[in-house]
Amino acid sequence: MNTLEAVTEAVALVRKDQDDLPELVVYLSPKNLNREVDLLISTLPEHMRPHQVVYLNIWPRTTSGKVDRWKLPAPAEVEAWERKYKANKPVKRRWLFPETAKGPSITKPVSVNKTQAVAVSRVPTPAELASQFWRDNAVPTEMVRWTTANAFRLGLVLLEQGMPMTARAVPLTLLPMPVSRRKVEPLQALAPVFNRLYDKVSCHLDWLVEKLSRACDTDIWLARLIEIAKLVQQADRDPEPCRLLLFRQDYLEASTSKYLQVEVNTMAVAHAGMSEQCSKLHASAMTRLLPALPDPPTNLNQAIGNLQANRPANNFARALSVAHKAYLAAAPDSCKAKVCFLCFEDDTLETDQNHVAALLSDLQVESIRAGLSSDHWRLERESATRQSLWLDRQEISVVYFHTGYTPEVYKTELEWNTRQIIEMSCAVKAPTIPMQLAGCKLIQQVLSSPTELRRFISEEEVQQVCSVFARQFNPAADDQVSRDARSEARVDPDRWVMKPQREGGGHCVFGEALAQLLAHSSETELAGWVLMERMRGACVESATLANGTAELCHQAIGEIGVFSSMVIRGEETLLNSVGGCMVRTKCVESNEGGVCCGAGCIDSCLLI
């Protein structure tokens, strides 16, 4: 609807009708667009056509100026609602930094809103802290300028594509999110267990192929990856000198106030570099705020120290260095080999990767950048069973993938040939194709079964990892539990999410589209999806900064990511460690949390 030039506001919402059945309602303004709207609706597929179109003169707004979906009226009640409801005009908020701004006294509780006053006897939330220096209708000066300047200083920037080259500060929060230490530390303690689990899973290619076989019937890209993995398995070749895992396990708080696992990222793990720099930024900001608090909690200094100790980029650099040295130990004549960061041609996250590369350089390991589309990759046979990997005249010891996780990357046979060359080589891969397959959502769903887990880890570890699993099902399965889950999801789709075998965000299906997908897809088509219960924890207030504008989000949620790494040589574990954590904060209304697309902001954990 937003494609119509005359439309100034449009919202689609699934509501219950008078018979308590779900219906798709579209709210529009201005009025008198019946002809244009009817024409547009006629071009939509049947399952996407709204049941009702409602025209509004005024819109309910949140304090940040966005449409408040929860206050939109039922179609039958629009006229009465408009007579009673006064549209909320968003107040322009601006930030001042305490060094030059004389904020209100905070020796007394400070009102954050009309219904809640917050005392400073505990660690304040980011919004509560920022409210001490809040000024309506003031020019955004010290705090925004200080945060933006230091974001550029610390390399918290995204590179824009094309020339001339430009950059912008990555969307981030002004202050860290306080999170209970008792909730986060168990997640960090589980990271080495998940490392061992996924390493063992990746070593069982036949099991992976069996579990993904039905998805391959409709997913040509996934089938092609498995084809290459089988060729590598059947080849007469030496194994890699070691196996390298660079992971991030993501968690969301559920309605039970417990964090449950969203996914395990096994490939192209992003934000290790920026998370480490964001923690430094937030530690500095909190230190500058401390003098403004008359009676700061005693554990606040310790929490700031925890921010400074958050070092996921260092952890990844160390793991890459250990893998590089294992390669050199297996090939003493390869002393000039380098680590290769395999990236997109115009990679928005190049600075994120450069943070890790710089730390790797500090460990006396050189690295280069390259892409899948280069035609200069080649294998050099050193023995009957060993082929080294070369890019032009440069030998490669480790390939660290930041691309290759979506079908769009493999535009021609050149990209597929490059991937096969890399897999066939003796270079260490992060990840190999079997490890990439292990990160598929279907494998995550299969591993939520204790029976399957017992193939790979001990009973004690099975109980540990099962404690963080959300309810998830194979929608194509014919057992009673899966049938019940499908029925439940069709009746109340807002409580569920459908996930395909893709990474990178933007692929999941929610709400009415989910119900339609379940209702109109064949069993074969559903075999490539996973049905997972959505996690909806308590919302918090957060102060965000994106595109130079500071904003207070009253209903934000934070997805915690735990970074970890592992290096295994044969049966020997050279490294298995936790690198720290990050938070991606987003508005609760957003289905996606991607930072580059602007849906989420990089945040850090203030462990309390």
Side-chain angles (χ1 to χ4, degrees), residues 70 252-256 494-496 534-538 588 591:
W70 308 111
L252 271 174
E253 190 176 23
S255 56
T256 58
D494 287 336
R495 292 183 53 230
W496 298 84
R534 293 187 75 176
M535 292 150 239
R536 296 187 180 275
V588 70
N591 287 328

Side-chain angles (χ1 to χ4, degrees), residues 10 92 134 156 169 197 264 266 338 354 418 425 479 482 517-518 600:
K92 292 184 178 180
W134 192 270
L156 287 163
L197 168 62
V264 177
T266 64
K338 296 182 180 180
N354 285 346
T418 299
S425 75
D479 58 276
S482 298
L517 182 63
L518 286 173

Side-chain angles (χ1 to χ4, degrees), residues 264-322:
V264 177
N265 297 277
T266 64
M267 184 175 193
V269 175
H271 305 311
M274 288 192 179
S275 296
E276 184 167 319
Q277 299 304 95
C278 186
S279 293
K280 294 177 182 178
L281 178 75
H282 283 160
S284 181
M286 291 295 293
T287 301
R288 297 165 83 91
L289 284 172
L290 273 177
L293 296 175
D295 186 22
T298 55
N299 59 349
L300 192 53
N301 274 314
Q302 181 183 356
I304 294 173
N306 291 335
L307 281 173
Q308 295 167 333
N310 188 49
R311 309 190 74 189
N314 271 270
N315 181 267
F316 275 19
R318 181 186 173 203
L320 287 164
S321 174
V322 171

Side-chain angles (χ1 to χ4, degrees), residues 79-80 139 164 217 219 245 264 301 349 381 393 409 437 484 491 494 515 523 554 556 585:
E79 290 186 10
V139 177
D217 293 339
D219 194 330
L245 286 64
V264 177
N301 274 314
L349 288 171
R381 185 169 294 280
R393 299 179 180 180
V409 173
L437 298 175
D484 290 345
V491 172
D494 287 336
E523 184 178 310
H554 287 284
T585 296

